């Protein structure tokens, strides 16, 4: 039986009040849902004198791309003219932050290959330095060294494609000095508050060893050993730079915040554990040297506060912005000014500068003012039982102004698969609801956040029990009377794309249409084409997905491309040519297998994209094709009595 978490609902009674009684909203253009914000991604300089943000701009007659601007601040208010400091034309800038008051650091990749470079821009001179100018190399920030104005710690796999070393890099000259060489099995590094590399996570693929050293010059020694099912994930050092905090599920089912003394590594001091779900992360104040909050997700985002000031600040912000969730996105070093996001399930919301000293906020921008909040759909947390008794949590988005009965529906399993769907504004779900579709998202077994046992139930279950969890969600949506059995589509990306293909391969009678977005189609070839920097974790992948030799029969049986003779459902496939995670061959072989049977497949390939479409022009084309495809195959009136469904 379908259970509403907030608020309780008697079948369709309350749904009829808050959905069917609402007026049918206007149909908004696809571009309105998916274009980049006209101004967003706000960040404060360390001293609060400057504001950074991104805007889409046209350079050299190329398509609009998100580039970085900076502008002086007078208190909380931008003053003077904004100055553009980057000139990227191939792709949107993926991320950036301030280094001090005069330098901006940003990352970019090429055609979606995820081989990110790290670049530094001097906002006064405009000089740009590529700090990692290496072809085919993936780089990232290990520590921004906020107390060192000229250096950062950057890791990259330039020495060996499969492992990442750490370098101290001069942001003005690009000169790098090796500070931690990877012996070949380290998959993660952790610095202390002085920027010294003190912890390393080593793995042979199955077993993990946490390594520790007392300084940045000594040898690492083994501290904690676990198998891959057990997590001890360092977060940051205690403020004495000796003990450290970690998210750990040693001896428990859920990730909790613990403090570990290297002198007694097997004795964890429990700081906070949520009674139902894993913790997602924890924050601290470097200025005040205290823990601030832990964050988690039940049906909605949640916070646990460790200190009174953080709790009071959050309460004051909530009073300024009632009815919205609040997220902190940037702050000054003195922690007096913050960039704050206020959002809900019906709007991506607005961004503000908050002056904590004066308890004052100044709005910087509405992220998408062309989508009125009252015209967007409510996202309802739901739960249902799987056929083998697991509780599956998820979200249901129902179109406004329509009776929630016999609706066309889109089933939308998430990617990962070891990730989860969350409550909030989802432009895809809102775009579909705006066009009259109900959208069901479920956190099938293996989804993160629900503890170790729930995660482990996914091992070896691609196309099997994981898929059954999706099928069971479709069945109870039909049983509730919400879904028209003749007008159900399935759409997903990455693992969700695999689940889409598996759905129309193994339960073809359930779906009238399917859309696979950068999805896996053949588990054998997928495991052979992972990026080189995933290879240290390959044995773990074999345990969680399957071994290409030991489990070959199962992998063949659960690979849609090898069982394409079962597929009759109309199919749309979208793929980035430079996808490093799901090789283009995954889509190519699926298309070839179907076309060999004379089945037409609508296939979109973009040469300037990777794992998902990020350039606006490609996003727009994809969603226009999706809208037309769904309208063709779900827009007609179905007769539920004529639909044969698989018996459970």
């Amino acid at each position: 039986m379908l259970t509403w978490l907030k608020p309780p609902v008697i079948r369709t009674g309350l749904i009829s009040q808050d959905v069917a009684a609402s007026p049918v909203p206007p149909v908004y253009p696809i571009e309105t849902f998916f274009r980049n914000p006209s101004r967003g991604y706000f960040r404060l300089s360390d001293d609060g004198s400057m504001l950074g943000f991104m805007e889409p701009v046209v350079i050299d007659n190329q398509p609009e791309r998100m580039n970085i601007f900076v502008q002086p601040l007078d208190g909380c208010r931008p003053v003077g003219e904004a100055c553009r400091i980057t000139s990227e034309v191939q792709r949107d800038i993926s991320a950036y932050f301030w280094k001090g008051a005069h330098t901006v650091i940003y990352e970019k990749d090429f055609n979606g290959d995820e081989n990110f470079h790290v670049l530094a821009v001097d906002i006064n001179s405009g000089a740009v330095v590529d700090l990692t100018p290496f072809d085919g190399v993936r780089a990232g920030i290990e520590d921004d060294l906020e107390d060192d104005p000229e250096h950062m710690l950057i890791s990259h796999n330039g020495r060996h494609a499969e492992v990442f070393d750490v370098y101290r890099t001069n942001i003005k000259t690009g000169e790098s000095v090796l500070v931690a060489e990877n012996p070949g099995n380290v998959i993660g590094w952790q610095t202390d508050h002085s920027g010294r590399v003190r912890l390393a996570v080593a793995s042979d693929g199955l077993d993990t060893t946490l390594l520790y050293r007392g300084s940045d010059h000594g040898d690492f020694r083994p501290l904690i050993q676990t198998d891959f099912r057990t997590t001890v994930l360092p977060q940051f050092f205690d403020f004495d730079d000796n003990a450290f905090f970690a998210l750990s599920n040693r001896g428990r089912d859920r990730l909790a915040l613990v403090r570990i003394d290297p002198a007694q590594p097997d004795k964890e001091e429990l700081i906070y554990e949520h009674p139902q779900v894993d913790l997602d992360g924890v924050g601290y104040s470097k200025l005040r040297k205290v823990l601030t909050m832990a964050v988690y997700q039940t049906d909605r985002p949640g916070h646990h506060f460790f200190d009174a000031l953080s709790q009071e600040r959050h309460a004051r912000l909530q009073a300024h912005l009632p009815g919205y969730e609040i997220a902190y996105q940037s702050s000054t070093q003195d922690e007096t000014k913050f960039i704050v996001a206020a959002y809900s399930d019906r709007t991506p919301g607005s961004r503000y500068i908050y002056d904590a000293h004066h308890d004052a906020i100044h709005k910087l921008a509405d992220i998408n003012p062309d989508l009125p909040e009252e015209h967007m759909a409510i996202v309802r947390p739901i739960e249902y039982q799987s056929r083998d008794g697991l509780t599956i949590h998820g979200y249901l988005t129902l179109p406004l102004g329509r009776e929630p009965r016999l609706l066309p529906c889109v089933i939308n399993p998430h990617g990962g698969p070891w990730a989860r769907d969350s409550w909030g504004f989802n432009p895809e779900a809102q775009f579909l609801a705006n066009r009259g579709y109900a959208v069901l998202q479920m956190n099938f077994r293996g989804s993160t956040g629900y503890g170790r046992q729930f995660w482990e139930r996914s091992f070896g279950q691609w196309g099997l029990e994981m898929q059954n969890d999706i099928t069971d969600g479709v069945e109870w949506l039909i049983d509730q009377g919400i879904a028209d059995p003749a007008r159900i589509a399935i759409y997903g990306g990455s693992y969700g794309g695999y689940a889409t293909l598996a759905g129309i391969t193994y339960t073809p009678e359930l779906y009238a249409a399917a859309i696979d977005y950068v999805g896996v189609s053949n588990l054998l070839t997928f495991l052979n084409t992972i990026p080189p920097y995933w290879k240290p974790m390959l044995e773990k992948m074999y345990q969680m997905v399957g071994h290409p030799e030991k489990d070959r029969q199962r992998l063949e049986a659960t690979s849609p491309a090898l069982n394409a003779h079962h597929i009759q459902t109309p199919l749309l496939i979208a793929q980035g040519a430079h996808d490093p995670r799901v090789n283009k061959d995954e889509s190519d072989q699926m298309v070839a297998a179907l076309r060999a049977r004379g089945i037409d497949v609508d296939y979109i390939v973009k040469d300037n994209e990777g794992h998902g479409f990020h350039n606006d022009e490609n996003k727009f084309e994809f969603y226009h094709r999706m809208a037309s495809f769904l309208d063709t195959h779900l827009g007609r009136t179905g007769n539920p009595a004529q639909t044969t469904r698989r018996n459970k």
Side-chain angles (χ1 to χ4, degrees):
M1 178 180 177
L2 176 63
T3 303
W4 299 99
L5 301 185
K6 287 185 177 181
V9 173
I10 301 174
R11 208 61 188 250
T12 60
L14 185 55
I15 304 177
S16 297
Q17 295 175 26
D18 63 8
V19 176
S22 302
V24 176
V27 175
Y28 287 92
I30 285 171
E31 290 77 5
T32 307
F33 289 93
F34 298 108
R35 68 187 177 212
N36 284 317
S38 58
R39 181 170 289 188
Y41 307 98
F42 296 94
R43 301 291 183 266
L44 291 166
S45 65
D46 290 352
D47 65 356
S49 66
M50 299 291 292
L51 176 70
F53 55 87
M54 289 206 288
E55 285 187 4
V57 294
V58 175
I59 301 173
D60 296 334
N61 295 317
Q62 298 296 310
E64 283 187 342
R65 296 290 181 253
M66 295 297 280
N67 274 275
I68 303 170
F69 291 71
V70 297
Q71 189 172 10
L73 282 173
D74 181 8
C76 287
R77 295 181 180 276
V79 295
E81 292 190 11
C83 174
R84 177 168 57 83
I85 61 169
T86 61
S87 300
E88 297 296 334
V89 296
Q90 290 187 344
R91 292 174 67 76
D92 294 337
I93 290 173
S94 59
Y96 81 97
F97 63 91
W98 284 90
K99 171 72 172 164
H102 306 293
T103 305
V104 168
I105 307 296
Y106 73 97
E107 298 180 351
K108 71 171 184 177
D109 72 343
F110 303 86
N111 294 320
D113 63 5
E114 298 185 13
N115 289 321
F116 292 100
H117 286 209
V118 179
L119 299 95
V121 188
D122 185 307
I123 69 168
N124 294 321
S125 68
V128 179
V129 179
D130 188 342
L131 303 177
T132 55
F134 317 115
D135 291 337
V137 170
R138 180 184 175 101
I141 309 297
E142 288 293 334
D143 193 321
D144 65 354
L145 301 180
E146 65 178 356
D147 297 323
D148 182 340
E150 294 188 354
H151 296 89
M152 295 189 310
L153 295 186
I154 296 176
S155 63
H156 64 71
N157 59 344
R159 182 179 61 85
H160 191 292
E162 296 180 12
V163 297
F164 293 80
D165 304 313
V166 183
Y167 300 82
R168 183 181 300 274
T169 302
N170 187 295
I171 63 172
K172 303 296 184 183
T173 67
E175 180 183 1
S176 288
V177 176
L178 181 68
V179 298
E181 181 173 326
N182 197 322
N185 62 347
V186 170
I187 60 173
W189 305 95
Q190 182 69 53
T191 59
D192 63 17
H193 293 291
S194 298
R196 299 171 296 182
V197 181
R198 299 273 307 284
L199 290 170
V201 179
S203 175
D204 63 5
L206 291 180
D207 294 326
T208 298
T209 302
L210 183 61
L211 306 172
Y212 171 84
R213 63 182 179 181
S215 71
D216 57 351
H217 299 297
D219 293 330
F220 283 101
R221 64 179 175 87
L223 192 69
I224 297 170
Q225 292 183 311
T226 62
D227 66 19
F228 78 93
R229 290 174 169 81
T230 301
T231 297
V232 180
L233 184 63
Q235 298 296 291
F236 46 84
F237 274 79
D238 204 346
F239 303 103
D240 61 2
D241 273 341
N242 184 25
F244 59 92
F245 295 96
L247 294 180
S248 171
N249 62 7
R250 276 197 297 178
R252 61 177 64 84
D253 184 55
R254 294 176 300 278
L255 285 174
L257 178 64
V258 301
R259 183 180 180 273
I260 298 174
D261 183 345
Q264 304 179 76
D266 292 327
K267 183 181 179 181
E268 294 182 346
E269 177 189 354
L270 180 63
I271 305 298
Y272 175 69
E273 179 181 19
H274 191 274
Q276 296 174 307
V277 295
D278 294 324
L279 298 185
D280 288 341
V282 60
Y284 69 96
S285 166
K286 184 176 181 179
L287 179 72
R288 296 183 291 117
K289 294 181 169 53
V290 296
L291 296 174
T292 53
M293 72 171 75
V295 293
Y296 55 86
Q297 299 177 73
T298 52
D299 58 325
R300 291 178 62 151
H303 309 83
H304 174 83
F305 294 98
F306 294 108
D307 75 309
L309 178 58
S310 296
Q311 187 168 15
E312 291 166 4
R313 178 190 298 142
H314 196 84
R316 290 196 300 267
L317 263 171
Q318 202 73 71
H320 284 293
L321 303 165
Y324 295 94
E325 293 291 334
I326 293 169
Y328 301 89
Q329 298 185 324
S330 176
S331 73
T332 53
Q333 275 192 343
D334 65 7
E335 299 179 10
T336 60
K337 295 183 178 66
F338 300 83
I339 299 293
V340 175
Y343 68 95
S344 75
D345 57 334
R346 305 179 77 178
T347 176
S350 304
R351 304 296 179 263
Y352 301 84
I353 292 182
Y354 176 62
D355 183 334
H357 181 70
H358 296 96
D359 188 27
I361 63 172
H362 173 75
K363 181 186 281 192
L364 294 169
D366 295 316
I367 296 303
N368 197 338
D370 292 332
L371 291 177
E373 189 171 350
E374 65 272 16
H375 290 168
M376 297 295 103
I378 297 168
V379 178
R380 291 175 168 78
I382 55 91
E383 63 181 39
Y384 61 90
Q385 298 298 305
S386 70
R387 64 190 66 186
D388 60 347
L390 286 183
T391 298
I392 307 298
H393 297 270
Y395 299 91
L396 181 62
T397 305
L398 295 172
L400 293 178
R402 296 166 176 86
E403 183 182 359
R405 177 171 172 76
L406 298 180
L407 292 170
C409 295
V410 177
I411 309 302
N412 182 211
H414 63 71
W418 304 293
R420 62 160 289 169
D421 275 319
S422 303
W423 183 92
F425 184 83
N426 184 316
E428 288 187 333
Q430 294 293 345
F431 145 71
L432 292 168
N434 185 244
R435 278 153 176 77
Y437 300 103
V439 181
L440 175 63
Q441 301 164 284
M442 68 284 290
N443 287 322
F444 43 80
R445 70 190 67 201
S447 299
T448 53
Y450 299 99
R452 180 184 359 196
Q453 292 182 26
F454 190 80
W455 171 64
E456 289 184 4
R457 295 287 287 265
S458 70
F459 292 1
Q461 295 301 314
W462 286 41
L464 300 170
E465 292 299 332
M466 293 171 75
Q467 196 68 32
N468 288 343
D469 292 345
I470 297 169
T471 301
D472 292 345
V474 179
E475 294 284 359
W476 61 246
L477 192 61
I478 293 171
D479 292 343
Q480 290 290 305
I482 295 172
D484 180 344
R487 295 190 294 164
I488 299 175
I490 184 168
Y491 157 61
S494 195
Y495 175 83
Y498 167 82
T500 293
L501 297 175
I504 62 174
T505 301
Y506 307 112
T507 54
E509 69 280 359
L510 276 183
Y511 302 110
I515 302 168
D516 160 30
Y517 187 37
V518 298
V520 174
S521 73
N522 183 330
L523 297 180
L524 295 171
T525 55
F526 165 66
L527 291 168
N528 287 330
T529 56
I530 62 173
Y533 43 83
W534 283 12
K535 286 186 179 178
M537 305 305 296
L538 193 55
E539 288 297 326
K540 178 179 174 180
M541 291 288 288
Y542 289 162
Q543 290 287 317
M544 297 173 69
V545 180
H547 193 283
E549 295 177 3
K550 298 176 184 177
D551 302 309
R552 188 175 189 88
Q553 186 175 359
R554 171 169 59 81
L555 295 178
E556 288 178 345
T558 52
S559 292
L562 303 180
N563 297 275
H565 55 280
H566 294 298
I567 296 176
Q568 299 293 335
T569 306
L571 178 62
L572 167 65
I573 295 179
Q575 177 69 50
H578 299 277
D579 191 338
R581 306 188 200 186
V582 178
N583 191 279
K584 179 175 173 287
D585 180 61
E586 293 298 308
S587 293
D588 286 348
Q589 60 183 297
M590 190 75 242
V591 172
L594 292 174
R595 287 180 176 171
R597 294 175 47 222
I599 295 178
D600 187 30
V601 182
D602 197 356
Y603 189 24
I604 307 169
V605 180
K606 292 300 176 184
D607 290 333
N608 61 346
E609 296 286 9
H611 196 60
F613 294 172
H614 294 275
N615 295 326
D616 267 3
E617 67 274 15
N618 296 329
K619 290 187 294 183
F620 297 160
E621 179 183 343
F622 172 60
Y623 290 113
H624 273 287
R625 297 273 285 272
M626 178 190 289
S628 177
F629 182 81
L630 292 175
D631 183 62
T632 297
H633 298 291
L634 301 190
R636 61 191 181 280
T637 300
N639 184 352
Q642 295 177 351
T643 302
T644 302
R645 296 190 282 114
R646 182 186 60 77
N647 293 322
K648 293 179 68 174

